[in-house]
Amino acid sequence: MKMHIVKIALFAVMMMIGVSSSNAQQVYNLSAGSELKVSGTSTLHDWTMKSTSGSGKATFTMAGDQLQSISSLSVSLKVQSLKSGKSGMDDKAYEALKAKENPTITFTLREMKNLKQSGSAITYTAIGDLTVSGVKRAVTFTGTGKAVADKFQFDGKTSFKLTDFKMDPPTAMFGTIKTGDDVTVSFNVTFKNSATL
């Protein structure tokens, strides 16, 4: 009878070890070349600013090669890494973004919802805090992703108003050219397993 109980206890321990090892948390870092875009309109033309110099880190829970959940994720970039290709526009944008007082834009994940992986394809909805010009607001990103070896690539976007973050839409030429209040933030980022860096 005692031997039977011992066998059951050993089996339970082995099962627990198997579950913990099959659902392992792993740290992933944002890869160089990941891109973020901010796009909008003006009375003269549409515009886009891009940055490829962000930094970030995430903790993924894996079951084998399948992404089960993302328990934490944060990304930051310097405001002045955003470039439109036109220095005059960039300067106006940095002024509106209050770059001197608040030089960094950050996103911190609150919750990952509807995360699904089928083969290498991923879909998700991410809710988190976006901090721009020193103001923090909750935003929701929807997008897709792809698993490739030890990397995960994600695309996504969200839209909001500049005035939501207490920013005045930039103007030029004595106010004759005005930027629209609505902007869209989109990204194409890759996170790589830190153990393989």
Side-chain angles (χ1 to χ4, degrees):
M1 182 65 178
K2 289 183 178 179
M3 184 59 70
H4 181 66
I5 293 173
V6 170
K7 287 181 177 179
I8 291 174
L10 287 172
F11 177 76
V13 170
M14 293 301 293
M15 287 294 291
M16 290 176 66
I17 293 173
V19 170
S20 63
S21 62
S22 62
N23 291 275
Q25 287 195 332
Q26 300 177 20
V27 175
Y28 283 69
N29 292 319
L30 189 68
S31 295
S34 294
E35 183 178 78
L36 181 137
K37 296 181 183 179
V38 182
S39 303
T41 62
S42 74
T43 51
L44 183 62
H45 53 66
D46 294 349
W47 55 269
T48 297
M49 300 183 75
K50 301 178 185 179
S51 173
T52 58
S53 60
S55 61
K57 182 176 289 188
T59 302
F60 296 168
T61 299
M62 306 294 300
D65 61 353
Q66 296 291 297
L67 178 59
Q68 296 295 296
S69 65
I70 300 177
S71 58
S72 67
L73 184 149
S74 60
V75 175
S76 65
L77 62 90
K78 297 296 184 183
V79 171
Q80 294 190 355
S81 70
L82 289 164
K83 303 293 182 182
S84 67
K86 298 178 180 179
S87 60
M89 178 181 170
D90 292 348
D91 291 341
K92 289 288 185 181
Y94 301 153
E95 182 180 346
L97 288 163
K98 304 171 186 175
K100 289 184 179 179
E101 300 89 347
N102 304 283
T104 306
I105 295 171
T106 63
F107 174 78
T108 303
L109 180 71
R110 284 189 190 177
E111 181 183 6
M112 185 67 76
K113 300 178 67 176
N114 307 318
L115 177 64
K116 297 178 182 177
Q117 182 175 348
S118 178
S120 64
I122 298 168
T123 56
Y124 72 92
T125 300
I127 301 170
D129 293 321
L130 181 66
T131 302
V132 180
S133 70
V135 178
K136 181 168 69 175
R137 292 283 184 270
V139 297
T140 299
F141 287 95
T142 57
T144 60
K146 183 170 61 175
V148 182
D150 59 346
K151 300 177 183 178
F152 287 94
Q153 176 267 323
F154 296 100
D155 295 296
K157 66 179 180 179
T158 191
S159 297
F160 54 82
K161 293 182 181 296
L162 293 174
T163 49
D164 291 342
F165 289 85
K166 299 182 180 180
M167 291 185 290
D168 296 322
T171 62
M173 298 296 290
F174 305 103
T176 58
I177 300 173
K178 298 180 180 180
T179 300
D181 193 15
D182 296 299
V183 296
T184 297
V185 173
S186 59
F187 57 85
N188 184 315
V189 299
T190 300
F191 282 87
K192 183 176 176 64
N193 193 322
S194 61
T196 61
L197 291 175

